[in-house]
Amino acid sequence: MPASSALHDRPAHVHQFDNGLVLLAEPIPSMQSAALTLMTPCGYSTEPADRLGLSGMVCDMVLRGAGERDSRALINDLENLGVERGEAVGASQSSFSGATLAENLPEALSIFADIVRRPHLPNDQVEAARQVCLQEIHGVDDDPGQQVMIELRRRSYPEPWGRPSHGEEEGVLAVTAAEIKRHWALHYRPNGAILGVAGDIEWERLRDRVEELFGDWPSVPVQPTVERTPATTSPHIAFDSNQCHIGIAYPSTPYKDPNYIQAWAAVGILSGGMSSRLFTEVREKRGLCYTVNASLQTQRERARVLCYAGTTAERAQETLDVTYAELVRLGEGVEQAELDRLKARIKSSLIMQQESTSARSSAIARDWFHLGRVRTLDEVSQLVDDLTAESINAYLRDQPPRDFTFATLGPTPLQIPN
Amino acid sequence: MEFRQHTLDNGLEIVAECNDDAHSMGIGFFVRTGARDETDEVAGVSHFLEHMVFKGTPRRSADDVNREFDEIGAHYNAYTSEEATVYYASVLPECQEASVDILADILRPSLREDDFAMEKKVILEEIQMYADQPPFGMDDRIKELHYGDHPLSRSVLGTVESVGALTADQMRTYFESRYSPGNIVVAAAGRVDFDELIKQVGQRCDAWTPHDTPRTTTRPKSYNAFECVTRESSTQQYILQLADGPAAEDADRYAAKILATILGDDSGSRMYWDLVDPGLVETASLGHYEYQGAGMLFTWVSCAPEDAAENYMRIREILRTAEQSGFEAKELQQAQSKVKARVVLGSERPRNRLFNVGGNWMQRREYRSVATDVAAVDALTLDDIHAVLAKYPLTKATTVTIGPLSEFAAG
């Protein structure tokens, strides 16, 4: 008979090296795998305004040979180690992630150290990297749902925080080999970098290995970021499609704020399981669309709730009106039964997160980035237990959904609510 | 890790991979039905029915179904393919019985008229959504060209016309003919209490009456065609290629998967180095998909329209070279390392094991542990890979391209 499931309280090990690099590790001895998440402070917010996409190009270039390996040897060796890898450029960070069998982690780590510290950045590969980045930009042109959300983020965040992570065609076309080298030298640095590891690892040996590989990585002075209000644009993009795509955003509370958990819970009630408000009101009761959702996306200093719905053109206005009305109604508060369901979902998510070393390595790295410390799953669980309908409603009274931004894309413009 | 199996008197089979070290469990009802079991009159009914199953039963309204799943913190969903409809949930072990109770109940849906009318709107939206997304319906079109009137060529979604014309009565008839207990496998993986599972499923499903559920599984005759479809509003050009490959029951399916990995994995493959790494395409990949009586080797390329003809020739060249000269030992080893790591990493989550356990039982009435799968990959030799390529030449394929091009110079 299975016992009741539980969270294992495993405080993460933390070590900050003299150069600023923070190493975090959560040993999970029951796993065969180990995963790493390496964040370096080369986000899209660091790009010059006329070079949007530069961070993405650097991220592509660092994989084109590093240390003693050329481009082909680098990728092949990672694959021979069975590393499932991924790279992403966010607002503040470029992230490199990898998961593999635990015994291969030390060797994989040394390749990742080469990638961020000793990339060749070969001049003869710049055109290929540029083409890869342009392909990615053009791929989005045929994805109207993704396009509308890119436009929504651009309209909703102050510059440079709402930029598309893969940049823009003009910026990518303008990037030079020298700019790639300079951008790498400025933003691939240990001060501000975070390495999260989770899985079947032994802490002391891991720390020694990371010291060996990253301990003498020299730090670099930090460049300030300048914020500006976004350029004024029309909320509608004309597009030849069957469906109209609707995006609505409003400001919310970032992860580092003690009220984040209240904001997160409120959005969970709006759009969590299939009994959540948006799914019920827009899809189940009215059959207006197949996809409707909202999520809280947090950066370090600011956050937005981003909501999406896609529907055929003739029902788009009703979909927009009903969805918007639900966002406004959230400000009137949530009910206890809704919160109970949400808590059940969160609890099972937290427990299931322990079954993925990749999920844990990125979660602890994310915690450090936002909080400067790592929460254990027990601590998160306690925060969830402490949530009450009253606490969420107090938050919503103080900060109801408001100051909405809209973006629509489709054959005809819609009437935007005042 | 222990495999358990039980069959109810009415033919419903229960299988599970029980792992006491897991934190959660995955459970699914796998129904052997899908687009290949439909007729023209009811095209799209399997998928529409999958939606209707969540719309309630004599003892649950649609709201109840959604609410109760959420109350137990389940991560749940369903999908429909050419030959299977699967309803599944990931839950904590203490919610095993509650999840069985909901899943077993909804597998006997009311199919109420008003719910049917409302959900039809959602399905039509889903069809429109996919019509706006690459490959703009060409995944269906290429199957039609390749398999002719064989049942595997049928569209899972159906069309606006076929779904629009469906009636609730037609759906009831289809449901009665396909959702027989002998056509359903209940699979579970993770921290499962199997003895309790037998009782829990038995109590709720014993009364289901069995009947025959025939399916045509003759191997399809395949054709090779070329079609260029113009879609002026697209930015990119898309090229799809479909060639025959080993079927679900064929022993050389593992060799086909490694073949696809060497040639067309999204990283480190021949297509990756020749097309993706130099930035000639947005994506170029090759995958192997297995069905009863047929297997598909599916190539997918997206790129700028002006480069499409040249990229098409490059793909042909990659495939021709492979057929003529074969592969190197180090390519095989790299693909083996990669696939084995994926198998192990994927197996750490019970919800992933669920699809493996349920899928294997549906397709072959067979249990395969992670170790068995890893050993099967390890045992492959270059000769195995070359043999599968000789038997299923990738250059003998159907091609469909869609994008702004009005004609396509395929030399």
Side-chain angles (χ1 to χ4, degrees), chain A residues 58 61-62 64-65 119-126 177 180-181 184:
Chain A
V58 173
M61 283 295 292
V62 296
R64 292 175 185 267
H120 301 164
L121 307 176
N123 288 342
D124 64 358
Q125 295 273 306
V126 171
I180 289 171
K181 292 191 171 78
W184 167 78

Side-chain angles (χ1 to χ4, degrees), chain B residues 179-194:
Chain B
Y179 279 56
S180 168
N183 212 29
I184 298 174
V185 176
V186 175
R191 205 148 106 207
V192 179
D193 184 332
F194 194 73

Side-chain angles (χ1 to χ4, degrees), chain A residues 1-6 8 10 30-34 64 71-73 75-76 79-85 99-101 125 127-129 131-132 135-136 138-144 239-245 272-276 279-280 283-291 310-312 315 340-342 344-345 347-349 351-357 359, chain B residues 21-25 51 54-55 62-63 66-68 70-77 90-94 96 118-119 121-122 124-126 128-134 136 191-193 196 231 233-238 265 267-269 272-274 276-282 302-304 307 330 333-335 337-338 340-342 344-345 347-351:
Chain A
M1 183 69 199
S4 168
S5 48
H8 290 228
R10 292 196 200 90
S30 60
M31 300 299 236
Q32 278 182 272
S33 72
R64 292 175 185 267
S71 176
R72 211 171 262 263
I75 300 295
N76 287 349
E79 299 208 338
N80 280 315
L81 290 167
V83 176
E84 287 275 280
R85 60 177 180 83
T100 183
L101 304 179
Q125 295 273 306
E127 282 316 307
Q131 290 309 315
V132 167
Q135 294 284 356
E136 205 178 327
H138 293 147
V140 175
D141 290 344
D142 284 341
D143 185 342
F239 193 82
D240 180 10
S241 53
N242 294 315
Q243 285 201 313
C244 180
H245 302 269
M274 293 194 202
S275 67
S276 64
F279 198 83
T280 304
R283 175 166 153 170
E284 299 289 84
K285 278 196 192 161
R286 296 179 176 83
L288 286 169
C289 61
Y290 177 72
T291 309
T311 183
T312 34
R315 302 202 287 163
D340 291 343
R341 290 200 294 277
L342 179 73
R345 286 178 55 79
K347 186 184 166 205
S348 69
S349 293
I351 289 171
M352 290 177 199
Q353 205 184 89
Q354 302 175 106
E355 293 170 336
S356 165
T357 54
Chain B
D21 292 333
H23 295 284
S24 69
M25 62 172 290
H51 281 235
F54 288 90
K55 289 294 177 179
D63 281 352
N66 288 341
R67 200 191 62 246
E68 288 184 40
D70 283 349
E71 278 168 357
I72 60 170
H75 295 246
Y76 61 102
N77 211 332
S90 285
V91 294
L92 300 182
E94 58 265 34
Q96 176 175 312
M118 182 63 76
E119 198 59 19
K121 295 186 196 174
V122 174
L124 293 173
E125 285 296 340
E126 190 178 357
Q128 300 285 10
M129 177 185 83
Y130 283 113
D132 277 350
Q133 287 176 3
F136 312 109
R191 205 148 106 207
V192 179
D193 184 332
E196 283 300 312
R231 190 178 190 276
S233 59
S234 298
T235 305
Q236 301 276 80
Q237 191 75 23
Y238 302 86
D265 194 51
S267 169
S269 65
Y272 173 82
W273 288 115
D274 289 1
V276 179
D277 179 73
L280 296 170
V281 298
E282 184 201 352
S302 64
C303 64
D307 302 331
K330 65 178 186 193
Q333 282 156 13
Q334 185 171 325
S337 304
K338 187 155 55 169
K340 282 190 296 182
R342 275 180 198 164
V344 174
L345 288 174
S347 72
E348 291 184 334
R349 291 206 132 160
R351 72 179 81 157

Side-chain angles (χ1 to χ4, degrees), chain B residues 113-174:
Chain B
E113 291 283 352
D114 50 345
D115 291 328
F116 182 87
M118 182 63 76
E119 198 59 19
K120 188 183 272 191
K121 295 186 196 174
V122 174
I123 306 282
L124 293 173
E125 285 296 340
E126 190 178 357
I127 293 174
Q128 300 285 10
M129 177 185 83
Y130 283 113
D132 277 350
Q133 287 176 3
F136 312 109
M138 291 305 115
D139 42 346
D140 282 342
R141 178 66 187 145
I142 197 167
K143 284 192 301 171
E144 278 174 19
L145 289 170
H146 194 71
Y147 292 125
D149 57 4
H150 187 275
L152 266 183
S153 70
R154 308 198 71 93
S155 160
V156 173
L157 283 176
T159 62
V160 169
E161 293 72 32
S162 72
V163 170
L166 261 181
T167 66
D169 272 341
Q170 285 175 304
M171 183 178 284
R172 284 187 198 104
T173 307
Y174 176 83

